[in-house]
Amino acid sequence: VNSIAEFALLCNEATRRKHLSEIARGKKSRCPSKPLSIEYIFDRIDTDDPIWGFMVRTDTPMSSKGRTSNLKASPQWKRGMLQGFITVTTFTQWRSSFRFDSLHESAFAYDPDDLTELALKGIRKYDNDGRLAEELEATVHGGDPWNEGIVYPRIAEISLFGALGCGKKLLQLVIERLERSRASESQNYDYIVLQATENSIPFYESMGFVRVGCIMENKTSEKGYKSSPVESYVTKKHGETLAKISQEFGGNVWDTVFLNKPMYPTIGPRSWLKKGTTVFYHSTKAQILATSDASKTGQLGVTLEESSLAPKWYVAKENDTPRSIAKKFCVHFGDLLECNKKRYPELVGTSRLKSGTRIQVSRFDVEDEAYIPYSHWTFPDDELEPDEPSYMMAMKLERKTGKDAISLPIAESLSVPISPYSPDENGASEILQQPPAIKRTAPIFNSKKTKSVKKPKRPMNAFHFFSADFRSNKKELLQGVRLGECTKILTQEWKKLSDREKAPYLEKSKEMRIVYAKEMEEYKKEVSKLTPVGIDTSLLEQVVKLKSNVGAQSFTSKFQYWYVLTFIPDLQWVHLIPLKKVGVFGPEYPEAHGRTIWMIEDEGNELDTTAAMCTVVKSQTIANSEDADDEQWVIFDGEKPKLAPIFAVPKALQALKEPIKPTNPPNSNSLFCADAKTKTNIEELKGKKCQENLFRSLDSLNMDQKRPYREQEAKLQSSYEKEMEKYRTDLAEWERQRPDTKPLLEPFDVTTIKEPYEPKKCPSSYSIFCADVKTKPHIKEELKGKSRSERADILSKLWHCMDDDQKRPYRKQEAKLQSSYE
């Protein structure tokens, strides 16, 4: 446990060296894989049981080329410096629906396009025939996913692994130890698995590992004990033992001990059992129940349905047809055809299939979305993220017996013997950083131990709501399309939407953010109850920059400033999130006007490192948000802040009232009507008669008579725009001083986005006719002085008196306008 900080720092250094070596070899620089976080390392050491492994530490000064040196030539060398580590445990997972399955179409469905391409070219090693996954799934396993987890005692897992130049030797040592260890209750391994990062895949493949598929159902784990297929046996006499029972039924005694431990905690291989005692042993049907290859289902005399814990697949031979496959496995032809048409839309009963085509032959009721790739280190109530699948790699161990198990060629080839770890003897205690007189331990919350204070998930944005809606309503457009292409299609469809069409999704996102803010408030209250008092929090929630002389050039070159989200004083360790530029503060923030706005970068670029790498820079929060994702910073790097604390509300603003929005100014017609009412006795008329007289007077005005009213309208409109600009500034200031009242306006965007106007409907042929005849002098003279209803009657009679030939030009014009409108 004392070396946790060293483990995390070594992983960071290994990632950096890998990144720099690719650049030195002229390869295209990619973003390096995220190294192990200190929280994950702590969780594994705290949870894994049993756990053992190796550490490599320096003992003799060495040069950069690996040759013996001295302190003068290697001034940075210290005895006991960590060079590599590896830990091994028994494979355990917490999903009741988990299974090894390399043939299921969901196993590798979410792989990136570049990784899929490498697999198709044969560059990456996969469990292509599914045999290794079947063997892993057929091993004995059992447990409660809501407690200790489902344990696989025949499968070892490399849980933590990091090294600087000695990784191959460490992995060889572990494999040698596993293959030559004598079988026991705590160690009886036939396979070894691990979770690989993108950078480490070629290394593990060179050591004999291949990728295997792992899937799980897209739902919460069921409660209760779950085990591999078992059969029961009732003892017929006193004195029977598990060793004899296992020998009689052809099973492994340690598998039998494992299956009976939950009922008889003290039972052993040679424990004497009473007559009538029920014991369980590993079923011989486990192998056929584990396979996904339908062609193997008849080997143990079971039907296809009896063997189907998950969908079964048949790899077609050349010229096989769906009808012949359905007949071969005695399944309904219509169900088989309908299920496989989702993958092959043009499939019919007589279609001749190519060799290697995969056809689903069971569990037609299971939807395609029912299974998703397994995500490593997920627990029963965790929200599933199918876009973050595990890259599970496995290898079958070659167990040694007799004289072969005695020799240890890898261990004997080392220049120094392997000894038990002792910080005092190997010099590690001298370089381990000790905390400064802190009595209590800094908290590291474990996701399995703090269920009541689980952090709320970030709310979905408008695009995510649109994507979910599009997938449900237009599922057929995305059928069979890869994940990367689906994202492109959804992005293009989103960009095509108008602001009016985006409004419902934006409103949903806004509502979710309000709910998220309330949940975060409750979450912080609960966390504050569990946080110990008297902890050093000098770096917590500070803005820092990384020192350029500590070997982190690959990080410092990309991001300038970082936000300290987590600080562990005992280990002097920090979890950093990079800050990004999002704009410039406007005049509504006079204290920070013209300065850069800094906000937290999106997920994926966090960094775990030691506090010694961090230098605090002067900064100040602006938005005063309780959620760090919404906070905005102004940074004073190397200068003194000249502004007073922005979050302190001046007394002059404490009584500030909400600004009143200016009313829209009247148009020229309204101004004329108001003026006419004051100059004439027209106001004595009421209702419709008054309105008709006003419109008649307005129509009789010429352009010179209308000009004063239009000039007055323009003057009022100009004054209104100035008042609106002042109103927006005052409103932003008022909301900033009271963030709990209304959501803040974005400080770098003080304009109001106007809703686009819907195009006007095109006029009918009759309306086009009316507009045309009103321009003719004799008609204009006839309509003069008439009321609106009288004019409408005259125009209607003229329209009805026309024949079809006379109406045809107006109808053609209507059709042309209608086409333009659409």
Side-chain angles (χ1 to χ4, degrees):
V1 175
N2 293 334
S3 302
I4 288 178
E6 288 184 289
F7 288 177
L9 188 58
L10 186 142
C11 290
N12 283 344
E13 177 63 14
T15 302
R16 186 188 70 85
R17 291 189 184 186
K18 175 70 175 179
H19 182 56
L20 294 179
S21 66
E22 289 183 353
I23 298 176
R25 291 197 301 268
K27 291 186 177 182
K28 185 178 179 181
S29 178
R30 298 178 301 171
C31 181
S33 300
K34 187 176 184 297
L36 296 178
S37 68
I38 195 168
E39 291 87 351
Y40 178 77
I41 295 174
F42 188 91
D43 278 353
R44 293 306 306 243
I45 294 177
D46 181 53
T47 306
D48 290 347
D49 184 24
I51 182 172
W52 60 273
F54 300 100
M55 280 195 294
V56 177
R57 292 185 178 273
T58 55
D59 184 66
T60 304
M62 304 292 289
S63 67
S64 59
K65 296 183 178 180
R67 299 168 183 168
T68 304
S69 180
N70 52 54
L71 289 177
K72 185 176 180 180
S74 305
Q76 295 183 347
W77 178 89
K78 290 183 181 180
R79 182 172 179 268
M81 297 174 69
L82 183 67
Q83 297 298 298
F85 66 92
I86 188 170
T87 63
V88 184
T89 185
T90 301
F91 178 66
T92 306
Q93 53 85 20
W94 284 265
R95 309 299 303 190
S96 60
S97 57
F98 170 89
R99 62 181 281 112
F100 292 99
D101 192 342
S102 297
L103 295 183
H104 198 283
E105 61 179 6
S106 297
F108 312 123
Y110 290 86
D111 284 356
D113 293 339
D114 56 344
L115 191 59
T116 303
E117 184 177 356
L118 292 175
L120 294 175
K121 292 180 179 179
I123 299 176
R124 295 278 76 89
K125 296 181 180 180
Y126 279 73
D127 179 28
N128 295 324
D129 56 4
R131 292 182 182 179
L132 182 56
E134 291 174 11
E135 294 178 15
L136 291 168
E137 181 63 23
T139 60
V140 63
H141 54 270
D144 186 352
W146 287 85
N147 291 303
E148 75 279 3
I150 300 175
V151 182
Y152 292 69
R154 303 298 288 272
I155 304 176
E157 179 188 5
I158 296 177
S159 54
L160 299 173
F161 187 18
L164 300 175
C166 55
K168 184 176 181 179
K169 190 66 67 174
L170 278 174
L171 187 55
Q172 288 175 340
L173 277 173
V174 167
I175 295 174
E176 182 181 72
R177 177 71 63 88
L178 293 174
E179 290 180 341
R180 288 163 170 77
S181 296
R182 185 177 180 182
S184 64
E185 182 180 347
S186 62
Q187 188 165 296
N188 184 29
Y189 302 120
D190 290 332
Y191 304 89
I192 182 170
V193 299
L194 54 86
Q195 161 70 8
T197 61
E198 184 178 355
N199 291 336
S200 63
I201 293 172
F203 166 73
Y204 289 125
E205 289 178 344
S206 68
M207 298 295 294
F209 287 83
V210 298
R211 188 184 183 187
V212 294
C214 304
I215 59 173
M216 59 182 178
E217 292 186 36
N218 193 4
K219 64 180 183 180
T220 305
S221 293
E222 298 176 357
K223 295 186 177 181
Y225 189 89
K226 181 182 182 300
S227 73
S228 53
V230 297
E231 295 183 18
S232 61
Y233 170 77
V234 180
T235 55
K236 300 176 181 178
K237 60 181 181 180
H238 294 299
E240 291 191 60
T241 64
L242 292 183
K244 291 183 178 180
I245 295 172
S246 299
Q247 184 178 5
E248 179 181 353
F249 293 102
N252 183 280
V253 62
W254 296 113
D255 290 349
T256 309
V257 171
F258 171 79
L259 291 172
N260 290 277
K261 274 286 183 179
M263 297 178 297
Y264 316 113
T266 59
I267 197 170
R270 302 191 180 280
S271 299
W272 283 26
L273 304 175
K274 293 182 180 180
K275 180 180 179 181
T277 302
T278 301
V279 295
F280 297 94
Y281 61 92
H282 195 42
S283 174
T284 55
K285 295 183 179 180
Q287 181 65 43
I288 198 64
L289 293 174
T291 183
S292 293
D293 189 348
S295 61
K296 301 179 181 179
T297 55
Q299 294 178 0
L300 291 178
V302 295
T303 65
L304 187 65
E305 293 301 324
E306 291 174 341
S307 67
S308 292
L309 296 179
K312 301 291 182 183
W313 303 86
Y314 172 70
V315 181
K317 299 178 181 178
E318 192 71 25
N319 292 329
D320 274 348
T321 64
R323 190 176 294 277
S324 65
I325 295 173
K327 184 177 180 180
K328 179 177 182 178
F329 293 102
C330 300
V331 296
H332 191 274
F333 165 68
D335 293 341
L336 181 143
L337 187 64
E338 182 180 357
C339 177
N340 288 278
K341 266 194 172 184
K342 298 176 183 178
R343 304 169 191 85
Y344 316 111
E346 299 180 0
L347 190 69
V348 295
T350 56
S351 297
R352 295 189 177 275
L353 305 175
K354 292 182 178 180
S355 177
T357 304
R358 297 170 66 249
I359 299 295
Q360 184 176 340
V361 296
S362 73
R363 294 299 301 273
F364 302 127
D365 57 312
V366 177
E367 296 291 335
D368 293 341
E369 294 81 7
Y371 285 91
I372 60 175
Y374 172 67
S375 295
H376 204 65
W377 205 245
T378 52
F379 299 96
D381 55 348
D382 286 348
E383 296 186 10
L384 303 180
E385 299 290 346
D387 57 339
E388 298 180 2
S390 294
Y391 198 99
M392 186 76 77
M393 303 189 74
M395 183 180 72
K396 187 173 183 179
L397 298 171
E398 298 179 2
R399 299 289 294 272
K400 307 294 183 181
T401 58
K403 294 182 179 180
D404 294 336
I406 299 175
S407 62
L408 300 172
I410 302 298
E412 293 170 357
S413 67
L414 301 177
S415 59
V416 293
I418 300 174
S419 59
Y421 173 64
S422 174
D424 295 331
E425 293 182 5
N426 57 32
S429 59
E430 300 175 6
I431 63 172
L432 288 175
Q433 187 168 2
Q434 300 297 327
I438 299 176
K439 295 182 179 180
R440 303 191 62 175
T441 304
I444 301 179
F445 296 110
N446 186 299
S447 59
K448 303 182 290 302
K449 298 180 181 179
T450 57
K451 303 292 184 182
S452 59
V453 291
K454 186 177 180 181
K455 188 174 182 179
K457 191 175 181 181
R458 293 183 181 180
M460 295 170 60
N461 58 30
F463 174 72
H464 290 155
F465 282 111
F466 163 76
S467 300
D469 191 23
F470 189 91
R471 288 177 184 274
S472 60
N473 295 335
K474 299 182 180 181
K475 186 177 180 180
E476 64 280 356
L477 297 179
L478 303 177
Q479 191 69 36
V481 182
R482 299 188 65 83
L483 180 64
E485 293 298 326
C486 285
T487 305
K488 292 180 181 179
I489 293 173
L490 292 170
T491 304
Q492 292 172 358
E493 294 294 331
W494 172 256
K495 291 179 179 180
K496 291 179 183 179
L497 297 182
S498 64
D499 290 345
R500 181 186 292 272
E501 292 171 323
K502 291 180 181 179
Y505 304 110
L506 293 171
E507 185 64 27
K508 285 183 182 179
S509 178
K510 181 179 177 181
E511 293 174 358
M512 291 296 293
R513 287 200 301 270
I514 295 174
V515 174
Y516 174 72
K518 294 180 181 179
E519 293 177 350
M520 278 299 298
E521 184 177 354
E522 294 296 326
Y523 164 76
K524 290 181 178 180
K525 289 181 181 179
E526 294 295 329
V527 170
S528 63
K529 297 177 183 178
L530 300 176
T531 304
V533 181
I535 298 295
D536 176 18
T537 58
S538 56
L539 285 178
L540 187 63
E541 298 184 352
Q542 295 286 339
V543 175
V544 300
K545 62 181 181 180
L546 299 179
K547 296 179 180 179
S548 58
N549 59 347
V550 291
Q553 291 88 348
S554 59
F555 297 107
T556 55
S557 61
K558 189 173 182 181
F559 300 105
Q560 187 176 2
Y561 300 109
W562 304 74
Y563 172 72
V564 182
L565 182 66
T566 307
F567 174 51
I568 307 176
D570 285 17
L571 302 176
Q572 287 294 294
W573 202 255
V574 290
H575 180 76
L576 306 177
I577 302 179
L579 298 179
K580 61 180 179 180
K581 299 178 182 179
V582 296
V584 178
F585 286 107
E588 68 278 4
Y589 293 110
E591 303 92 338
H593 184 206
R595 289 186 175 274
T596 302
I597 301 172
W598 294 88
M599 293 187 71
I600 284 179
E601 174 73 22
D602 296 334
E603 294 182 3
N605 292 302
E606 295 92 341
L607 174 65
D608 291 293
T609 186
T610 176
M613 289 180 63
C614 302
T615 301
V616 178
V617 297
K618 295 180 179 179
S619 62
Q620 197 155 1
T621 58
I622 298 296
N624 301 319
S625 173
E626 293 184 355
D627 185 1
D629 291 333
D630 300 328
E631 187 55 81
Q632 298 166 352
W633 284 270
V634 56
I635 296 177
F636 307 92
D637 190 1
E639 58 178 304
K640 295 181 179 180
K642 300 179 181 180
L643 62 160
I646 298 176
F647 54 83
V649 181
K651 294 183 178 180
L653 295 176
Q654 291 179 358
L656 185 65
K657 295 182 179 180
E658 181 178 2
I660 300 174
K661 186 176 181 180
T663 56
N664 290 327
N667 57 23
S668 58
N669 293 346
S670 300
L671 292 172
F672 165 77
C673 293
D675 187 35
K677 287 181 180 180
T678 60
K679 294 180 179 179
T680 64
N681 294 329
I682 198 169
E683 64 218 14
E684 296 177 359
L685 301 174
K686 295 183 180 180
K688 186 176 180 180
K689 194 68 175 176
C690 175
Q691 187 178 10
E692 290 178 355
N693 290 336
L694 287 172
F695 278 119
R696 189 180 296 114
S697 302
L698 182 61
D699 289 342
S700 63
L701 297 179
N702 56 32
M703 295 299 294
D704 293 335
Q705 292 172 322
K706 291 181 180 180
R707 186 175 294 109
Y709 299 107
R710 291 179 177 172
E711 291 177 353
Q712 188 177 357
E713 176 188 3
K715 185 177 180 180
L716 291 174
Q717 183 66 26
S718 176
S719 177
Y720 168 75
E721 291 176 356
K722 292 180 181 180
E723 291 177 359
M724 277 300 298
E725 184 176 356
K726 183 177 183 301
Y727 164 74
R728 295 188 190 103
T729 303
D730 294 343
L731 181 63
E733 179 66 19
W734 183 79
E735 290 179 346
R736 187 175 69 84
Q737 300 296 342
R738 295 161 177 78
D740 57 333
T741 306
K742 290 185 178 180
L744 286 171
L745 291 177
E746 293 293 340
F748 44 84
D749 183 12
V750 297
T751 60
T752 302
I753 300 176
K754 294 184 178 180
E755 184 178 355
Y757 293 106
E758 184 178 356
K760 292 184 179 180
K761 292 183 178 180
C762 65
S764 63
S765 57
Y766 173 71
S767 300
I768 297 172
F769 161 75
C770 293
D772 184 34
V773 298
K774 284 181 181 180
T775 60
K776 297 181 179 180
H778 65 284
I779 299 297
K780 188 174 183 180
E781 186 65 27
E782 185 180 353
L783 297 177
K784 189 175 181 180
K786 303 290 186 181
S787 66
R788 179 174 294 184
S789 59
E790 291 173 343
R791 284 181 288 176
D793 291 338
I794 295 172
L795 294 173
S796 179
K797 290 177 182 179
L798 290 174
W799 174 257
H800 287 298
C801 291
M802 297 172 64
D803 56 22
D804 291 341
D805 292 336
Q806 292 173 317
K807 294 179 180 179
R808 187 173 293 111
Y810 301 110
R811 288 174 177 167
K812 285 184 178 180
Q813 192 173 355
E814 177 190 6
K816 185 177 181 180
L817 293 173
Q818 179 66 26
S819 176
S820 176
Y821 168 75
E822 291 174 353

